[in-house]
Amino acid sequence: MILMAAMMAGGCAPPPVTPPASPKPLSSDGPAPPAAPASSPLIGADVARVQWDVAENRAQCAPLALRSDGGAAGKARAAQFSGGWAVAFDLPGVRSAYGFAGPGTIAIDAEPDAAQRARLTRQWPYMRDLPTLPHPAFAGYGVVGAEPYPADNADGKGLHSLAYLRIGGQHCTYNVWSRISRAHLETLLDNLRVQD
């Protein structure tokens, strides 16, 4: 307050605040994902951006964030993914309860979208299209180890659910995980957004 009064008394007004530019789509393959309302900041965006800024895979793997985490309200923190970036969310008593990552790229990441879809379809027991992300966007998922959810726990409650995700215009295979439930993982997938 004293600094502000001194600046104004000396004729130095603070610089005007310029609103941020509108997000630009990363790919011409499809429409840009809808923007979150100004009153609802994206969850994990700041942590993802800081990690992405120093990641080796910056050119191939844009940072992500969440419009919603399904009400889990975890505490975001940086996580390590070799050659890439990650955001993990901790809950009381559960470290890395859920999160998302842009891991380092490997040779197979450069293959065309159709080959990526075929690879994930072969690898994972469940597939899901993700229409709110630049097209084509899809994920293969299940229990860690590419296993189906067991018949006695089809909701995956308390299991380590994992998805491998491809997004149009990006050249990496993102990871998204939840130790909460299958429905929570699916909520995360449906609420991911690409940062501009």
Side-chain angles (χ1 to χ4, degrees), residues 107-181:
I108 198 168
D109 285 327
E111 292 185 7
D113 293 327
Q116 298 295 342
R117 182 181 289 275
R119 173 177 68 96
L120 295 183
T121 299
R122 283 189 311 273
Q123 183 177 7
W124 290 96
Y126 310 100
M127 286 295 293
R128 185 180 195 92
D129 286 318
L130 304 166
T132 61
L133 293 167
H135 300 278
F138 48 87
Y141 66 103
V143 177
V144 165
E147 296 292 327
Y149 293 96
D152 64 346
N153 189 1
D155 294 334
K157 291 187 178 178
L159 299 179
H160 191 169
S161 297
L162 176 65
Y164 283 5
L165 165 68
R166 295 293 301 198
I167 298 174
Q170 302 304 310
H171 301 287
C172 66
T173 301
Y174 293 93
N175 287 213
V176 182
W177 68 91
S178 172
R179 296 173 192 249
I180 297 171
S181 69

Side-chain angles (χ1 to χ4, degrees), residues 38-134:
S39 62
S40 300
L42 293 173
I43 299 166
D46 292 341
V47 175
R49 178 66 68 178
V50 168
Q51 294 303 300
W52 178 81
D53 279 344
V54 297
E56 294 172 25
N57 67 350
R58 287 175 46 110
Q60 299 88 17
C61 205
L64 303 177
L66 294 164
R67 283 184 61 128
S68 170
D69 67 358
K75 180 174 172 53
R77 65 173 172 80
Q80 297 298 315
F81 262 69
S82 181
W85 55 268
V87 180
F89 295 83
D90 298 333
L91 293 174
V94 184
R95 184 167 169 81
S96 197
Y98 59 98
F100 51 87
T105 57
I106 56 176
I108 198 168
D109 285 327
E111 292 185 7
D113 293 327
Q116 298 295 342
R117 182 181 289 275
R119 173 177 68 96
L120 295 183
T121 299
R122 283 189 311 273
Q123 183 177 7
W124 290 96
Y126 310 100
M127 286 295 293
R128 185 180 195 92
D129 286 318
L130 304 166
T132 61
L133 293 167

